[in-house]
């Protein structure tokens, strides 16, 4: 593989000195881009797009053609693992993901198995194609949903604000939920390691729904499984470190506990002040974040002011990757993303 020309993201994640703060954005290849929408229309559906390495590679690269981002993130979905388990993933327009066979019966839960990685070859093929196309320009990020976040969709059968079926199982049959989490954990480890072998240079674990748990529940049903993933994934390949990022949306109260997993970096949402997060854990891990995605809807000056505030809050020195506190929204003007990237690159050298 070609040696990286821009390794700023890798060095920032490892808390090594950089000349500026690297920037990428969650969901940077998505529906806010007209070129993405055109490619998705050609594919016919979201799943068809995600499962076509050629088209997935195309949309992965689209934001890098527009913006001077410091990383690419492979275009995929967090629900690839339960889809490969045979739960019948589908996407209804305007409704989000749904599973045809949610896990509600003990018999089905006990029969759950780690999927054959051959069912996920399309993801690994996309990673290999993107790495070749990038030609070492910037690093490529691979990712997975966390064991708990995957379980939320697998049990509920769809997205939810409060996941009542999951919360009921958690309290009435915690043994069944732990069984699902155990299988998911093994699957996530295998999946991320295969992504690294295919060419991912950073991996990120999205614990999107961990923040819906109480502190005690988080420490039982989410955090230990993420720790097991961190302990088991590849940390070095071909002589190069492969950093990892853990992101629990709504997990600001547990930053110290997340840092104790041994991860390299923590994603921080916009509800936490970056300087306070750094004071709490920054000597142990890098931090990623944390501009509120809604700022991108408020005009270019608001974007520049928001960028300046996050950089000032983190302060001087290494260990910061600029990002949003969650994914970019569909209504975001591409010009706002361009302004964000430009503002980070122009303002951040003063902090290094």
């Amino acid at each position: 593989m070609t040696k990286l020309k821009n390794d700023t993201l890798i060095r920032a994640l490892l808390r090594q000195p950089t000349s500026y703060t690297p920037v990428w954005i969650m969901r940077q290849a998505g529906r806010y881009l007209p070129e993405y929408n055109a490619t998705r229309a050609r594919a016919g559906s979201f799943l068809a797009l995600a499962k076509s390495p050629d088209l997935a590679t195309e949309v992965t690269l689209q934001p890098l053609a527009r913006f001077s981002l410091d990383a690419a993130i492979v275009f995929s979905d967090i629900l690839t693992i339960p889809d490969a388990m045979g739960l019948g993933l589908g996407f209804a327009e305007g409704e989000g993901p749904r599973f045809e066979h949610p896990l509600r019966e003990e018999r089905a839960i006990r029969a759950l198995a780690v999927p054959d990685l051959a069912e996920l070859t399309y993801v690994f093929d996309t990673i290999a194609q993107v790495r070749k196309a990038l030609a070492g320009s910037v690093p490529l990020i691979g990712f997975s949903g966390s064991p708990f976040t995957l379980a939320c969709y697998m049990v509920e059968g769809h997205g939810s604000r409060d996941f009542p079926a999951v919360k009921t199982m958690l309290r009435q049959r915690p043994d069944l939920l732990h069984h699902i989490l155990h299988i998911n954990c093994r699957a996530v480890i295998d999946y991320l390691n295969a992504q690294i072998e295919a060419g991912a240079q950073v991996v990120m674990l999205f614990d999107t729904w961990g923040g819906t748990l109480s502190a005690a529940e988080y420490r039982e049903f989410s955090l230990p499984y993420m720790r097991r993933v961190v302990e088991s994934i590849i940390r070095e390949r071909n002589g190069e470190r492969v950093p990892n990022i853990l992101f629990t949306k709504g997990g600001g109260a547990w930053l110290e506990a997340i840092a104790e997993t041994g991860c390299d970096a923590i994603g921080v949402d916009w509800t936490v002040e970056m300087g306070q997060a750094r004071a709490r854990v920054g000597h142990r891990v890098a931090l990623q974040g944390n501009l509120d995605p809604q700022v991108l809807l408020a005009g270019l000056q608001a974007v520049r002011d928001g960028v300046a505030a996050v950089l000032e809050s983190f302060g001087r020195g290494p260990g910061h990757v600029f990002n949003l506190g969650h994914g970019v929204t569909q209504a975001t003007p591409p010009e706002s993303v361009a302004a964000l990237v430009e503002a980070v690159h122009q303002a951040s050298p003063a902090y290094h």
Side-chain angles (χ1 to χ4, degrees):
M1 291 284 187
T2 308
K3 186 175 177 61
L4 271 174
K5 302 176 180 72
N6 177 358
D7 65 350
T8 311
L9 175 78
I10 303 290
R11 287 186 286 117
L13 290 172
L14 298 175
R15 292 179 293 121
Q16 298 170 357
T18 58
S19 59
Y20 66 92
T21 302
V23 55
W24 69 279
I25 59 174
M26 288 182 274
R27 213 183 291 137
Q28 66 188 23
R31 290 178 292 175
Y32 75 103
L33 290 176
E35 55 268 40
Y36 167 87
N37 292 321
T39 306
R40 178 168 168 165
R42 280 167 40 216
S45 70
F46 174 83
L47 269 183
L49 174 57
K51 292 187 175 185
S52 165
D54 289 343
L55 295 180
T57 296
E58 183 178 315
V59 294
T60 298
L61 298 173
Q62 284 171 350
L64 279 82
R66 269 190 183 255
F67 316 118
S68 298
L69 295 155
D70 292 293
I73 181 166
V74 62
F75 181 80
S76 186
D77 191 79
I78 64 168
L79 299 179
T80 50
I81 287 176
D83 181 42
M85 290 172 167
L87 271 62
L89 177 63
F91 286 83
E93 196 63 39
E95 294 184 11
R98 287 189 171 272
F99 283 109
E100 186 179 348
H101 310 293
L103 296 174
R104 301 292 179 85
E105 303 297 328
E106 180 166 358
R107 182 176 179 182
I109 291 170
R110 295 297 182 192
L112 191 69
V114 176
D116 185 344
L117 287 179
E119 297 292 324
L120 296 163
T121 298
Y122 62 93
V123 178
F124 314 134
D125 289 347
T126 299
I127 288 172
Q129 285 189 215
V130 173
R131 274 295 304 272
K132 184 176 180 180
L134 287 172
S137 56
V138 294
L140 175 61
I141 302 168
F143 69 91
S144 173
S146 72
F148 176 74
T149 288
L150 296 182
C152 284
Y153 289 100
M154 293 162 70
V155 173
E156 206 72 36
H158 51 79
S160 170
R161 287 186 177 182
D162 45 16
F163 293 97
V166 179
K167 296 298 185 69
T168 298
M169 181 182 292
L170 180 152
R171 295 178 176 98
Q172 291 185 346
R173 292 297 306 272
D175 59 314
L176 294 183
L177 184 55
H178 277 300
H179 181 74
I180 296 170
L181 293 168
H182 175 70
I183 299 297
N184 285 355
C185 185
R186 290 168 50 199
V188 168
I189 292 166
D190 290 351
Y191 184 48
L192 289 178
N193 281 338
Q195 290 188 43
I196 293 167
E197 294 291 354
Q201 294 151 293
V202 177
V203 289
M204 182 165 172
L205 204 57
F206 284 88
D207 188 34
T208 309
W209 300 116
T212 65
L213 295 168
S214 71
E217 291 165 348
Y218 182 74
R219 290 175 184 273
E220 179 177 355
F221 294 99
S222 183
L223 189 64
Y225 293 97
M226 291 200 293
R227 179 185 295 113
R228 197 176 307 169
V229 172
V230 169
E231 292 171 349
S232 303
I233 55 176
I234 296 167
R235 303 302 288 265
E236 183 176 309
R237 185 171 183 269
N238 296 332
E240 301 289 340
R241 277 291 308 276
V242 181
N244 58 71
I245 309 163
L246 298 190
F247 174 55
T248 295
K249 184 171 178 279
W254 310 314
L255 295 180
E256 293 87 349
I258 298 171
E260 290 171 1
T261 63
C263 64
D264 294 304
I266 299 175
V268 180
D269 70 21
W270 65 91
T271 63
V272 181
E273 188 174 328
M274 210 60 172
Q276 293 180 359
R278 186 182 188 188
R280 289 164 58 190
V281 299
H283 63 289
R284 286 179 280 174
V285 294
L287 293 173
Q288 177 175 280
N290 68 339
L291 187 68
D292 185 342
Q294 298 301 314
V295 172
L296 297 178
L297 305 179
L300 301 187
Q301 191 55 49
V303 172
R304 297 184 190 104
D305 292 345
V307 167
V310 172
L311 291 173
E312 176 66 24
S313 181
F314 183 87
R316 297 185 58 84
H320 182 203
V321 172
F322 200 99
N323 209 313
L324 301 177
H326 199 227
V328 62
T329 65
Q330 181 180 354
T332 299
E335 301 77 39
S336 291
V337 176
L340 181 150
V341 175
E342 181 181 10
V344 173
H345 285 161
Q346 288 185 351
S348 66
Y351 294 94
H352 296 270

